Amino acid sequence: MTFLDYAPAPESRSILDLRSDYGLFIDGEWRAGRGTPFASISPATEEHIASIASANEADVDAAVSAARRAYEKTWSRMSGADRGKYLFRIARLVQERARELAVAESLDNGKPIKESRDVDVPLVAAWFFYYAGWADKLDHAGLGAAPSALGVAAQVIPWNFPLLMLAWKIAPALAAGNTVVLKPAETTPLTALLFADIVRQAGLPAGVVNIITGAGETGAALVAHPDVDKVAFTGSTAVGRAIAKTVAGTHKRLTLELGGKAANIVFDDAPIDQAVEGIVNGIFFNQGHVCCAGSRLLVQESIHDEVVDRLKDRLSTLRLGDPLDKNTDIGAINSREQLDRIRELSAVGEAEGAERWTAECAIPDNGFWFAPTIFTNVSTSSRIAREEIFGPVLSVLTFRTPAEAIAKANNTPYGLSAGIWSDKGSRILAVADQLRAGVVWANTFNRFDPASPFGGYKESGYGREGGVHGLAAYLKPGSSALAAPATRSQKAARKGAAK
Amino acid sequence: MTLTQIVQGERSLAVIGGEATDANLRRYLHGIPGVDAVGLEQRAAGLGTRSIKTTSKAWALDRIIGLIDQTTLEGADTPGKVRSLVAKAVTPDPADPTCPSTAAVCVYGDMVPFAVEALGSARGDPEKGGVAVAAVATAFPSGRASLAVKLADTADAVAAGADEIDMVIDRGAFLAGRYGMVYDEIVAVKEACRRTDGTSAHLKVILETGELNTYDNVRRASWLGILAGGDFIKTSTGKVAPAATLPVTLLMLEVVRDWRRMTGERVGVKPAGGIRSSKDAIKYLVTVAETVGEEWLTPSLFRFGASSLTNDVLLQRQKLATGHYSGPDYVTID
């Protein structure tokens, strides 16, 4: 054994106290689902974690009704300062239970514990703290005086950052005064169900947060429910399109955060070692299951070989394996279905003539795994340069001039994020200005902050999450004119006063 | 010793493509890609989160001891103090004969004869289990003396039996952009390390990164130290804060890695000052192993300049063996 074969350092699972089966969290209590329950498994070992209830249309209706009642009776009447107190309480509980949440996330999702511990869970707490602060300051959100909540928000989230996406959805919705029905992805419901317990612990009024589990039909029934005022979805572009069709012609507001095929542009004057780190972090963070992943590396032709060599050296030091081991860099692919898609697209890449390089690492016998892979000699027309792979696969393309880099970066139906690496500040600003992407990182990648809006251009969706923009997605503008119509919460307040 | 012997001047001529003038060196050093401070620090912090347990930890603790330059560099140093230091270096843990000795002792030039005498037969190549004598020279720590004095300081320590010389660069000249002068001085000191029998004391070039202030400067100074023929590049004297930090050491290791990539030669790195706990030292081992490779975790390519680190490592070592912590009275003061 050599030093670099670090001895196992597994995070203990003893902190988790999981039930064998989970129901639906509706109106502040656990209820049995009326659909057929399904199992959540650990993608690293394929072991059964828990049996999860499935919500049918009647359950969805019950959840939306509970949210509506909570909205009408308590949440919309509560002062912003009081709503903020609940959110602060949730944020603190997330911090207190951070280790438990991180272990659960890594177990259920397959992501390395160092990411769930150092990235996901701290960001979840940060999101609740940030929006807790907004709850009593909505007048200053730039939406006029006394902007009002929309009502009941239906939220459907993906499996790549289960708890973090929950926070991105729930924190601004509650701060703005909405109540929510949230459906986590069917492969990763565990942390949302633990979050239901945090909601209970925080003493949130019943029905303000409802968590229902199930597959695609449950999500479809939720977004189609007529009493929903707002739909927020993060996930694939295909499902996003279907949701947009469902919602079209109704009163429902919609925000979509969909796929991406981000360009990570490396100029020849880039800080090379940090750029290599950024490329690794851009595409191999969370096994590449990141909608804003830097999956297209655009590297200036003059430094292409050097960058690729260094990248391969660096990738050879990545550790793939047990997500709960504290030294694991690359965890498991979330599901067999996703693994099949990554394999299929990688095969297409090879068939189309790109040169494949895969880091040498031992693949565990059970579970779903895909070793970090780079494709060089990729042409812009190749499928692996066009389609979102959503896995640890990087396509390397080259450019010669800044204009060509910009043109290639923008030549995608997506537009969620991009990265620029250069030591020259003026070039960074000039290029960033011309990139059609919601987020542009300069000399870094995949960094998130609750104060910063996040969202896409084109097929990457619309609407923004995070910052004041993310708040606006859950608010109706307030009365700026003298004769503005009274909002629902104002009416409710008046009714309350008359009693 | 197994350190690569480098022929004077060949490195720079081949690499920078000309004589080591201020202009040529500037062109070369400023053409090296820049360092992004945020990214560098993030990477160092990431390496610092590795969790080294059980068997890996046991190996790491022993290896750390074998990489330490047990150091005393005080105005109050006496022959007695140096003898005590030497005893500590040879037998760090009197209660455990399996404990390895440190790589070297590091003292001021005038203390070299006492260190040599005290070591006796224990003196030797740390790669073969011996303990070497390292001396700081060139008007350490400030380096503010004429070249003649610096060379005399070096030659004196070598003549007294120093196996390794830790020199300081002229930071004033470096910051003023007089790279040629810094270069020439290192070359001259390297020459002064030569013994009458034709062998040479090994040269560690101290950059004093705390005074260079920017990572770009540290990177350039690292290249300069290697181009001029340093066998080792060393972070600090220990007399200026901040001394060794993980990001700075990572950066220097990256330069060493790039040098090997370019020339095949292996140059050592020595973080010195401020590394006091086993936990910190293990972070350095991880950084070395994951940046240049595990083969660098050997006394000819990596050292810790430290005085109090040894005792913390010994306490951890005892804890690993017995299962419980002892206390400061169970390790010796030197």
Side-chain angles (χ1 to χ4, degrees):
Chain A
M1 198 189 94
T2 66
F3 176 61
L4 273 171
D5 296 327
Y6 300 142
E11 179 67 63
S12 169
R13 280 171 62 169
S14 61
I15 193 165
L16 273 187
D17 184 16
L18 296 179
R19 288 187 251 152
S20 61
D21 52 296
Y22 283 88
L24 310 172
F25 186 72
I26 295 173
D27 213 7
E29 57 181 33
W30 293 101
R31 294 188 191 171
R34 281 167 271 190
T36 314
F38 59 97
S40 191
I41 63 165
S42 155
T45 57
E46 299 176 62
E47 73 167 284
H48 174 93
I49 301 172
S51 171
I52 310 291
S54 177
N56 69 4
E57 274 189 44
D59 296 320
V60 168
D61 186 55
V64 173
S65 304
R68 173 62 62 196
R69 274 195 307 280
Y71 177 73
E72 301 286 356
K73 289 192 177 153
T74 52
W75 203 244
S76 66
R77 300 180 181 207
M78 194 181 280
S79 72
D82 284 340
R83 287 199 309 272
K85 284 182 198 165
Y86 284 108
L87 288 168
F88 277 121
R89 205 178 288 165
I90 290 173
R92 285 193 300 270
L93 285 165
V94 166
Q95 288 183 319
E96 276 169 29
R97 296 175 66 170
R99 203 156 77 85
E100 175 192 356
L101 293 169
V103 171
E105 197 77 304
S106 285
L107 183 66
D108 199 26
N109 170 279
K111 67 174 66 201
I113 186 79
K114 75 167 192 188
E115 288 179 10
S116 50
R117 177 195 67 197
D118 296 344
V119 182
D120 293 50
V121 176
L123 279 175
V124 169
W127 238 268
F128 278 102
F129 275 121
Y130 176 81
Y131 280 108
W134 266 117
D136 61 352
K137 302 175 191 70
L138 300 182
D139 285 349
H140 309 284
L143 298 164
S148 59
L150 301 176
V152 174
Q155 308 179 320
V156 178
I157 58 170
W159 47 261
N160 57 342
F161 293 94
L163 191 61
L164 183 57
M165 291 301 106
L166 173 148
W168 282 30
K169 296 278 181 286
I170 291 185
L174 297 192
N178 304 272
T179 55
V180 305
V181 179
L182 177 128
K183 187 195 90 68
E186 85 185 281
T187 59
T188 56
L190 200 58
T191 44
L193 296 165
L194 292 180
F195 182 80
D197 191 52
I198 287 177
V199 164
R200 182 199 55 74
Q201 235 183 321
L204 208 65
V208 173
V209 170
N210 304 276
I211 311 264
I212 57 169
T213 43
E217 307 85 73
T218 307
L222 177 58
V223 300
H225 195 287
D227 201 27
V228 158
D229 300 302
K230 155 86 187 181
V231 173
F233 172 75
T234 297
S236 72
T237 296
V239 176
R241 215 174 256 137
I243 290 176
K245 281 181 189 152
T246 309
V247 168
T250 71
H251 73 292
K252 294 172 194 173
R253 301 275 194 97
L254 176 64
T255 45
L256 296 172
E257 200 264 86
L258 309 174
K261 191 74 189 175
N264 203 358
I265 306 169
V266 180
F267 286 100
D268 62 1
D269 68 338
I272 204 89
D273 288 308
Q274 287 74 47
V276 167
E277 285 308 310
I279 295 164
V280 171
N281 187 41
I283 183 64
F284 301 110
F285 173 63
N286 203 30
Q287 296 76 246
H289 301 332
V290 184
C291 40
C292 53
S295 49
R296 281 186 300 151
L297 175 63
L298 289 175
V299 57
Q300 195 152 359
E301 212 169 287
S302 53
I303 54 165
H304 170 271
D305 293 354
E306 189 186 356
V307 167
V308 170
D309 276 356
R310 284 168 184 266
L311 195 54
K312 287 175 180 172
D313 280 356
R314 176 67 179 92
L315 292 184
S316 304
T317 70
L318 291 178
R319 287 147 199 282
L320 178 144
D322 180 7
L324 287 175
D325 191 297
K326 290 177 223 168
N327 292 325
T328 293
D329 298 313
I330 305 280
I333 301 300
N334 183 251
S335 64
R336 185 176 298 283
E337 189 190 357
Q338 186 58 28
L339 178 60
D340 290 343
R341 175 168 169 79
I342 297 168
R343 283 182 175 155
E344 182 203 324
L345 277 168
S346 301
V348 168
E350 276 182 285
E352 284 178 338
E355 199 174 306
R356 178 179 181 155
W357 180 90
T358 296
E360 270 180 47
C361 44
I363 302 287
D365 296 334
N366 294 321
F368 318 126
W369 307 90
F370 197 88
T373 295
I374 306 177
F375 280 102
T376 48
N377 284 332
V378 178
S379 60
T380 45
S381 59
S382 175
R383 267 182 77 191
I384 54 169
R386 307 290 302 170
E387 292 182 28
E388 185 177 35
I389 300 174
F390 223 61
V393 180
L394 178 68
S395 302
V396 185
L397 298 95
T398 59
F399 69 88
R400 292 158 296 179
T401 64
E404 187 183 356
I406 293 162
K408 282 184 170 170
N410 286 336
N411 181 224
T412 166
Y414 296 109
L416 193 54
S417 67
I420 305 170
W421 296 84
S422 168
D423 227 13
K424 192 168 176 177
S426 58
R427 169 150 56 207
I428 291 173
L429 294 174
V431 172
D433 219 28
Q434 297 181 67
L435 291 176
R436 279 175 293 153
V439 180
V440 179
W441 283 292
N443 289 341
T444 191
F445 212 95
N446 273 345
R447 303 290 290 177
F448 306 97
D449 189 281
S452 169
F454 182 92
Y457 281 50
K458 300 184 278 185
E459 287 192 23
S460 290
Y462 41 80
R464 292 291 180 268
E465 294 185 293
V468 67
H469 303 72
L471 197 64
Y474 288 93
L475 284 172
K476 277 193 286 249
S479 49
S480 51
L482 286 171
T487 61
R488 183 178 263 161
S489 61
Q490 283 166 336
K491 274 184 210 155
R494 249 180 263 140
K495 254 189 269 171
K499 267 180 209 163
Chain B
M1 291 216 177
T2 58
L3 284 177
T4 327
Q5 296 290 330
I6 291 123
V7 183
Q8 293 294 303
E10 278 191 3
R11 275 182 176 175
S12 55
L13 276 176
V15 173
I16 68 173
E19 292 299 321
T21 59
D22 275 355
N24 279 346
L25 283 167
R26 160 174 289 273
R27 199 172 300 124
Y28 187 77
L29 296 176
H30 287 253
I32 297 166
V35 184
D36 184 75
V38 174
L40 177 71
E41 287 168 8
Q42 265 170 20
R43 173 69 179 141
L47 287 162
T49 66
R50 290 289 190 211
S51 185
I52 306 303
K53 300 289 183 201
T54 58
T55 49
S56 293
K57 187 172 181 184
W59 185 90
L61 292 175
D62 275 11
R63 185 50 54 111
I64 289 165
I65 295 172
L67 294 174
I68 288 175
D69 283 1
Q70 188 72 12
T71 302
T72 183
L73 295 169
E74 301 298 333
D77 285 346
T78 58
K81 165 76 182 168
V82 169
R83 278 184 213 109
S84 169
L85 181 85
V86 165
K88 176 83 175 179
V90 174
T91 315
D93 188 351
D96 181 359
T98 67
C99 180
S101 51
T102 67
V105 290
C106 183
V107 294
Y108 270 113
D110 63 331
M111 291 292 147
V112 169
F114 306 109
V116 168
E117 188 199 344
L119 272 169
S121 62
R123 184 173 153 225
D125 183 351
E127 288 287 337
K128 301 186 181 103
V131 177
V133 176
V136 295
T138 67
F140 179 96
S142 69
R144 292 261 68 87
S146 70
L147 180 60
V149 170
K150 291 180 186 179
L151 296 180
D153 192 12
T154 307
D156 183 53
V158 173
D163 304 298
E164 302 169 358
I165 294 294
D166 289 25
M167 72 166 287
V168 291
I169 64 164
D170 186 341
R171 284 87 77 189
F174 179 88
L175 292 172
R178 298 172 64 193
Y179 300 136
M181 180 178 169
V182 178
Y183 176 94
D184 290 343
E185 215 168 81
I186 299 170
V187 169
V189 173
K190 172 99 182 166
E191 193 56 41
C193 287
R194 211 176 279 279
R195 302 189 188 94
T196 46
D197 63 359
T199 60
S200 228
H202 286 286
L203 182 63
K204 306 196 194 102
V205 180
I206 303 173
L207 311 179
E208 196 64 297
T209 54
E211 289 183 349
L212 300 185
N213 207 271
T214 70
Y215 291 125
D216 283 325
N217 277 344
V218 171
R219 172 169 281 192
R220 288 175 194 143
S222 299
W223 276 96
L224 193 55
I226 295 173
L227 284 168
D231 299 304
F232 255 83
I233 46 176
K234 174 175 169 183
T235 60
S236 336
T237 60
K239 304 293 183 191
V240 168
T245 67
L246 199 55
V248 156
T249 309
L250 167 62
L251 177 58
M252 290 165 65
L253 286 162
E254 285 171 351
V255 174
V256 160
R257 177 201 61 198
D258 290 350
W259 181 259
R260 180 188 49 177
R261 188 187 279 272
M262 188 192 261
T263 66
E265 286 175 354
R266 302 192 299 174
V267 173
V269 175
K270 177 177 172 184
I275 305 166
R276 295 188 183 88
S277 69
S278 308
K279 199 175 172 184
D280 279 348
I282 289 174
K283 291 179 186 177
Y284 282 85
L285 291 199
V286 165
T287 303
V288 172
E290 296 203 23
T291 307
V292 271
E294 210 173 326
E295 60 183 290
W296 244 260
L297 292 176
T298 185
S300 60
L301 291 173
F302 191 75
R303 297 282 178 88
F304 289 106
S307 44
S308 59
L309 172 63
T310 312
N311 273 350
D312 189 70
V313 177
L314 293 177
L315 284 172
Q316 289 294 329
R317 212 172 160 273
Q318 291 170 0
K319 152 76 168 58
L320 220 52
T322 64
H324 54 83
Y325 284 101
S326 49
D329 288 344
Y330 292 82
V331 287
T332 58
I333 49 173
D334 52 53

